[in-house]
Amino acid sequence: MENSRHALIGEGILPLFGKPSPHQVVIDEGLYGMDCVILEEKDDYALIRMEYGYEGWVLKRGLCEGTWPSYLEKVRVGKRQIDVLAKTEVASEILKTMPLGSVLTMAEDAYNRNLKEGWSCVRLADGSLGYTKSSYLMGYLPISFGKPETPEAAFRQGVCMTARLYEGTHYRWGGKSPQGIDCSGLCSMAYLICGSAIYRDAAIKEGFGMHEIVPSRMKPGDLLFFKGHVAMYLGGDRRLYIHSTAKAGSDGVDYNSLVPGDPLYRQDLAEGILQVGSLF
């Protein structure tokens, strides 16, 4: 679209809606620092396409127009939630709070020289500077819509470990953070953090790298698709999988098994697998 403009998500969590009006159900969430393109504007709302191809309406005040400077190193938030502070002191002003998977850039080298041990200086989406603990940040992997650049074994291990970071998070329709997450949010965020964009909803869709495989080829990190639901297979003797479920008694990110007789076995899901998806 000729008039489209690039922007960054400027709020810790920015809800996406299906229509540009209040009191809408959330269909997705943009996390701090993620790239998007503004496609259309209407009153206080903007229609955006997220960096992983999903579209929705957001409040314009939650966007910072522009892109991250190419000469700065991108990093991701690696903890469930962090604060970016005004000083290298834990008792200082909080500039922004953002969840796991959010994006920042390291500030120029001059700002990171001679800092207090364990701290990093970062740039926020509006260009301002802030500080956070270095251990809260992780490397940023470029996003691919096909096979990731990471070797298969490392990628599979990475997505499984990342999905486990959301353990115990409550179920939230359209959610994509440790403040609340749905089934496809969990799987798509684990993949995105590890460098691969898959379809944000619980389906295999053309244009993304995920494709159907026969169940006998299933390995850890592959996805199990049910009617309106998706889970990540973890494997092992108990053939565990992790998912975000709204089922009473779980109500969030939990584990279940495909082995009959296992304490975590769910017959309804074990017998309801429609497809198995993989990037490999």
Side-chain angles (χ1 to χ4, degrees), residues 37-93:
V37 174
I38 299 173
L39 303 174
E40 185 181 338
E41 296 181 68
K42 183 177 180 181
D43 300 326
D44 295 330
Y45 294 85
L47 177 64
I48 63 171
R49 179 184 298 127
M50 296 296 297
E51 59 190 7
Y52 44 86
Y54 208 75
E55 295 183 9
W57 292 89
V58 299
L59 287 168
K60 289 190 288 188
R61 64 173 181 263
L63 300 174
C64 294
E65 289 203 37
T67 59
W68 290 115
S70 59
Y71 58 88
L72 294 179
E73 177 192 357
K74 283 185 179 180
V75 290
R76 278 201 192 271
V77 172
K79 296 290 186 181
R80 289 175 65 90
Q81 180 169 288
I82 72 165
D83 296 326
V84 175
L85 307 173
K87 300 177 181 179
T88 54
E89 302 287 345
V90 293
S92 60
E93 178 189 359

Side-chain angles (χ1 to χ4, degrees), residues 225-226 241 257-258 260 265-274:
F225 291 91
F226 313 83
Y241 56 93
S257 169
L258 294 176
Y265 180 70
R266 268 186 63 176
Q267 183 176 0
D268 61 327
L269 291 181
E271 296 180 355
I273 299 173
L274 301 177

